[in-house]
Amino acid sequence: MAYRDVYQSWQDNPEAFWLKAAEAIDWDVAPTKALFDDKAPLYEWFRDTKVNTCYNAVDRHVEQGRGDQVAVIYDSPITGTKAKFTYAELQTRVAALAGGLAAKGVGKGDRVIIYMPMVPEALEAMLACARLGAIHSVVFGGFAANELAVRIDDATPKAIIAASCGLEPGRVVDYKPLLDGAIELADHTPDFCVILQREQHPCDLGARDVDWHGFQEGTAPAACVPVEGTHPAYILYTSGTTGAPKGVVRPTAGHLVALNWTMKNIYNVDPGDVFWAASDVGWVVGHSYICYAPLIHGNTTIVFEGKPIGTPDAGTFWRVIEEHDVKSFFTAPTAFRAVKREDPAGEFVKKYDLSCLGQIYLAGERADPDTIEWMQDKLGKPIYDHWWQTETGFTIAGNPVGIEPLPVKLGSPTVAMPGFDVQILSDEGHPLGAGELGAIAVKLPLPPGTLPTLWNAEERFLKSYLTTFPGYYETGDAGMIDEDGYLYIMARTDDVINVAGHRLSTGAMEEVLAAHPDVAECAVIGVTDALKGQLPVGFVCLSKGVETAPEDVEQGCVKLVRDTIGPVAAFKLCCVVDRLPKTRSGKILRGTMVKIADSEAFKLPATIDDPAILDEIKTALQTIGYAK
Ligand code: COA
Ligand code: AMP
């Protein structure tokens, strides 16, 4: 069947399409109906079912004879560790951890925050929650205590599962003070914390803490608890327009059905194949494609703890692919830009046998044609860009490789997937024609697995996504569709920026800068960077009478953002200026500032993330605001 026929079959009868896809899931109570639209524009999928995610991701494979297949490969160049866990071992470990959690009172519907680095135990923690019907919320390790505190107060978790440390090149990330600091800052206090002691940097345990090891082994294993299809599988916080992150809710049944469908149809892997997403469990890519989808589909997944370069070298990706026989590989374009910068001639690629690798997938940010061409040239493999969001949890537009690989057009993530009726709309909400630029929206209902609401924030959900264009989901991206139906993602319509594939809010950074005692007003913009895609740059005006040297205020601002949001914000450039450019009515012209910074005439260096030329960059940037 061709992609066009599959898409058409979905359009003709979405109900039949999704019920068919649902046959691949093991239900406790099977669906009689897919879509429930009685609360439109709020839609529900598979409401009349009962199912357990952990059973589908782990236990059923053991029962069906895959117990000895490797489920998880841990490859950590940063610690020099490798380990493999079969599905049977994973089942034992997850059931034991779930038993420990249950014995301390965690049950269906309770929230559990997970704050862990890229270790297999992070997946075990997620799956143990799923086993009990508890709702996990994984927080990325690069966020600071304050961000963790905000999530603790919103999710009000019964427990937090954390590690003693994470490891970044040349630096130990001491999680325990961050965790304790966050609990101190938060109004809500969890009943207990489970701490995975890592030998690289163990920590002292307090009265609230229990040691993962004794805990995982100490109680009877827990069974899988069937939950309603609409039960939240997890909450994942993502950046919105303001400092308060949005808690994207993932519904259990739709998540299972949709993710399972993508593994063959988009990623072209069969059960037993090795699939690798080099991301982090703290992001949606990590949720969907390090943990859930590969396991639900019976694949082997890789937990990689390291960086594409420097651990030990720019050949790391190729070594992992060869050594573990990876068939499909997925990461963010930034990672390849980093590799390309280190190894422009592709010398490291030549050292490894990549014959196992079928294709590579890119997402999370714009895939620039230069990088794709370099990859095509050096690797000789198909490179597929695809576009999705935390909110959807899987591909909105991509290349349906397992159905039929479509020709690649550089700069386009290809075509809409079944489930998504993607339209380009004018400001007034009228559908635009081929080649016309507008807001990218998806006709309601969104498919199974996409967000039904935001945690504790239905009004915000309606306002953020469903109000601007009634009848549509507003993606927050702008772009166009060409005459062949290929989609092009051009820009965000809000103040979300993408730094090294990480989604961040400039609004949230402005809120932090505004709290600096010497700052009267400020603006943060995302400036194009050849390595990380975008980098945030802050412009601040000092309050009257401030005598602190501008350089000290700038450094103080950089530290404040790092301490409040975290190192992941990559906020390293801040300039004190006399005034900010504004409209007559006093609105800061952020868009104009971005245009100046990105213009050819302005000539910022291609990579502004270079401390050696920091002063030069700052002098240039000061002219965007009004120089001090
Ligand atoms: N825990 C603690 N700190 C973290 C972290 C984590 N899990 N992840 C990143 N950080 C820190 C980094 O150490 C860095 O700190 P520094 O300012 O002290 O150097 C800072 O956050 C910024 O990180 P990043 O923007 O990732 O830059 P980097 O120089 O460490 O790495 C890349 C750059 C391109 C190699 C890396 O971002 C990468 O591989 N990205 C692509 C893959 C990916 O994860 N995509 C996510 C979605 S698919
Ligand atoms: P996240 O929710 O972190 O996955 O970020 C989603 C946002 O990242 C999207 O709304 C886009 O702005 C951007 N994005 C993701 N994938 C792509 C892509 N393939 N091309 C361009 N932008 C992308």
Side-chain angles (χ1 to χ4, degrees), residues 25-26 28 51-63 87 90-98 123-134 136 222-227 233 252 255-256 291-292 295-297:
I25 298 306
D26 281 288
D28 292 276
V51 69
N52 183 277
T53 298
C54 182
Y55 178 77
N56 276 276
V58 184
D59 298 57
R60 68 164 171 168
H61 302 308
V62 179
E63 288 171 16
Y87 271 103
L90 187 62
Q91 183 187 33
T92 306
R93 293 177 65 88
V94 170
L97 180 63
L123 271 57
E124 290 173 17
M126 294 164 81
L127 292 163
C129 291
R131 197 171 186 85
L132 299 173
H136 65 65
C224 294
V225 176
V227 299
T252 298
H255 182 230
L256 282 162
C291 184
Y292 288 114
L295 295 177
I296 294 163
H297 194 246

Side-chain angles (χ1 to χ4, degrees), residues 238 284 362-367 385-391 413 475 477 489 492 498 501 503:
T238 190
V284 70
L362 299 174
E365 55 173 329
R366 182 173 167 268
D385 182 17
H386 60 328
W387 169 65
W388 51 296
Q389 308 182 309
T390 304
E391 287 85 344
T475 66
D477 284 311
I489 315 297
R492 287 288 303 191
N498 233 295
R503 174 167 160 181

Side-chain angles (χ1 to χ4, degrees), residues 140-142 168 171 173 175 278-280 283 285 307-308 331-332 334-335 338 500-502 532 562 567-568 572:
F140 179 61
E168 286 293 293
R171 162 167 89 89
V173 185
Y175 276 13
S279 175
D280 188 287
W283 307 113
V285 176
K307 302 272 170 178
T331 193
T334 306
H502 309 314
K532 294 195 176 179
R562 190 179 173 94
V568 68
K572 293 187 176 164

Side-chain angles (χ1 to χ4, degrees), residues 126-244:
M126 294 164 81
L127 292 163
C129 291
R131 197 171 186 85
L132 299 173
I135 303 165
H136 65 65
S137 186
V138 182
V139 179
F140 179 61
F143 283 122
N146 180 65
E147 289 289 317
L148 183 54
V150 168
R151 287 154 175 79
I152 291 173
D153 277 337
D154 197 62
T156 57
K158 191 164 238 177
I160 299 184
I161 307 178
S164 57
C165 71
L167 299 160
E168 286 293 293
R171 162 167 89 89
V172 168
V173 185
D174 200 352
Y175 276 13
K176 194 56 179 17
L178 291 169
L179 174 62
D180 290 344
I183 295 174
E184 189 71 40
L185 279 172
D187 292 329
H188 173 82
T189 309
D191 291 357
F192 66 102
C193 298
V194 184
I195 309 291
L196 176 75
Q197 293 281 21
R198 301 191 75 190
E199 63 182 49
Q200 291 79 13
H201 187 81
C203 61
D204 292 334
L205 299 185
R208 187 171 43 222
D209 307 322
V210 292
D211 188 319
W212 170 293
H213 293 290
F215 185 74
Q216 196 181 30
E217 285 125 36
T219 46
C224 294
V225 176
V227 299
E228 299 74 28
T230 52
H231 182 71
Y234 67 77
I235 307 163
L236 178 57
Y237 289 90
T238 190
S239 298
T241 302
T242 66

